[in-house]
């Protein structure tokens, strides 16, 4: 066994914080703490983040890294003082693939946004004069992946971020302090909220079928289907779908053809390397069900059911960005989401997901025949799990 120090260099230590945000968790970095080669986008940065998380892992477990072997726990965040006027922090999100060697930078993580606010305050990225001694600090976040503004309302007690509390979020085991998150103008007026120009389209998927879909870009590009058209009730939990390779392959094919129709990719072959966006989800009218934790939820507790897939698997709760798309689509009469919720105009919607329920508010209005959204709001919580340094072999230098 060689002990040649030139061959086996010691590990590199990088300051990092491991934080739960909403129903996700990830490894957070201050941009200036990263090794120099990783302070700019590129292969060294991606390789470093892959190694931190423990990917690519052919075993699908991420045992040799910080990842938790699910799309909700295979996440990385890089924060910096904002370069944008009237913003506090620039938030860059990397979704790390589990069994493949790539980091997807094409979208945002809505759940981790609550944690971005907390981390930004406690690591000094927010000016001290913006942080009250007691009360709420409005952290103005510039989401760099998608060039959008998000406001996190972070509670402060005696000048410190208040993390503990009694706010319960379905999909998170323990209560914590509530962090309200506002996704401001999630759809740019110059962008098409509905890329095809239609609230509902017929999506032709060769060898699988033709499906009614609502394709919307709000929060994250999302393709909504009706549960009954694809053989589901809408009350499914993860095991009903994630153990069914044929079903997962069918969802991925639908997603690929939807991505082409939305203009996100030019050929279905490109979908394989663009796993984070678009999302595919299915909706159904409200009905009683039992959540994954065994909680009985009545039909009257919710307006509709939504089940969404993330990184090729049914999500255990709901992606925060997809919740923005759900809230927006629910507010617009005629979309599949709105119809499943009982149609009509609505400024908020409560939907059922595998872990329970989530309420999303949306301010939408129709101007000259075009729908715009002022903001979409939801409540989340965040908690620092661990802080210090993450260690990685110096392979990325």
């Amino acid at each position: 066994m060689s002990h040649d120090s030139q061959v086996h260099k010691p590990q590199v230590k990088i300051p990092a914080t491991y934080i739960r945000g909403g129903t996700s968790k990830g490894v957070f970095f201050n941009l200036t703490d990263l090794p120099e080669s990783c302070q700019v986008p590129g292969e060294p940065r991606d390789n470093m983040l892959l190694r931190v998380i423990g990917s690519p892992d052919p075993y699908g477990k991420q045992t040799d890294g910080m990842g938790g072997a699910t799309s909700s726990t295979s996440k990385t965040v890089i924060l910096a003082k904002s370069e944008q006027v009237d913003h506090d922090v620039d938030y860059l999100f990397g979704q790390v693939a589990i069994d493949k060697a790539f980091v997807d930078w094409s979208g945002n993580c809505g759940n981790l946004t609550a944690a971005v606010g907390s981390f930004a305050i406690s690591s000094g990225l927010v000016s001290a004069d913006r942080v009250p001694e007691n009360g709420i600090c409005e952290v103005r976040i510039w989401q760099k992946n998608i060039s959008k503004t998000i406001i996190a309302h972070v509670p402060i007690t005696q000048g410190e971020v208040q993390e503990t509390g009694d706010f319960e979020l379905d999909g998170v085991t323990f209560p914590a302090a509530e962090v309200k998150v506002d996704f401001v103008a999630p759809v740019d007026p110059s962008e098409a909220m509905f890329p095809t120009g239609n609230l509902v389209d017929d999506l032709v998927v060769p060898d699988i079928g033709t499906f009614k879909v609502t394709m919307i870009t709000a929060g994250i590009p999302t393709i909504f289907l009706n549960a009954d058209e694809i053989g589901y009730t809408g009350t499914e939990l993860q095991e009903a779908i994630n153990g069914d390779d044929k079903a997962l392959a069918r969802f991925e094919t639908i997603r690929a053809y939807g991505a082409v129709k939305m203009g996100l990719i030019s050929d279905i072959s490109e979908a394989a390397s663009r796993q984070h966006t678009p999302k595919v989800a299915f909706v159904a009218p409200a009905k009683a069900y039992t959540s994954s934790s065994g909680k009985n939820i009545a039909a009257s507790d919710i307006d509709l059911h939504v089940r969404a897939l993330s990184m090729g698997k049914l999500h255990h709760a709901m992606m925060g960005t997809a919740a923005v798309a759900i809230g927006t689509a629910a507010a617009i009469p005629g979309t599949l989401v709105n119809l499943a919720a009982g149609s009509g105009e609505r400024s908020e919607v409560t939907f059922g997901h595998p872990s329970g329920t989530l309420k999303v508010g949306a301010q939408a209005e129709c101007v000259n025949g075009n729908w715009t959204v002022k903001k979409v709001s939801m409540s989340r919580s965040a908690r620092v799990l661990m802080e210090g340094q993450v260690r990685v072999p110096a392979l990325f230098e």
Side-chain angles (χ1 to χ4, degrees), residues 305-384:
H305 277 283
V306 191
R307 298 294 182 270
L309 281 83
S310 182
M311 304 299 283
K313 294 282 171 83
L314 186 70
H315 194 275
H316 74 106
M318 184 53 62
M319 302 82 85
T321 50
V324 173
I326 293 163
T328 304
I332 297 173
T335 67
L336 296 187
V337 180
N338 174 270
L339 294 171
S343 69
E345 291 192 16
R346 52 183 64 240
S347 59
E348 62 177 35
V349 68
T350 301
F351 60 87
H353 56 72
S355 295
T357 69
L358 179 65
K359 184 163 85 174
V360 188
Q363 293 177 5
E365 58 182 9
C366 193
V367 181
N368 303 329
N370 288 322
W371 282 95
T372 59
V373 186
K374 287 182 178 171
K375 71 171 183 178
V376 175
S377 309
M378 67 190 81
S379 287
R380 283 282 182 266
S381 65
R383 187 170 78 85
V384 171

Side-chain angles (χ1 to χ4, degrees), residues 28 37 93 102 115 125 131 140 151 165 171 231 269 277 342 360 394:
F28 283 61
S37 64
F93 166 67
F102 77 90
L125 293 170
V131 183
R140 302 163 302 176
I151 312 278
S269 62
T277 55
V360 188

Side-chain angles (χ1 to χ4, degrees), residues 19-26 71-73 75 109 111-112 172 315-316 319:
I19 318 181
R20 176 186 65 72
T23 54
S24 296
K25 58 183 172 179
S71 69
S72 306
T73 54
K75 294 176 179 279
C109 176
N111 271 293
L112 289 183
V172 178
H315 194 275
H316 74 106
M319 302 82 85

Side-chain angles (χ1 to χ4, degrees), residues 3 51 76 81 166 170 175 177 260 262 269 302 320 329 337 340 370 381:
H3 288 288
R51 197 61 204 260
T76 56
K81 255 200 180 314
D166 52 15
D170 286 341
V260 172
M262 290 180 86
S269 62
I302 55 175
V337 180
N370 288 322
S381 65

Side-chain angles (χ1 to χ4, degrees), residues 62-78:
Q62 290 178 329
T63 306
D64 199 12
M66 299 293 293
T70 67
S71 69
S72 306
T73 54
S74 186
K75 294 176 179 279
T76 56
V77 170
I78 299 172

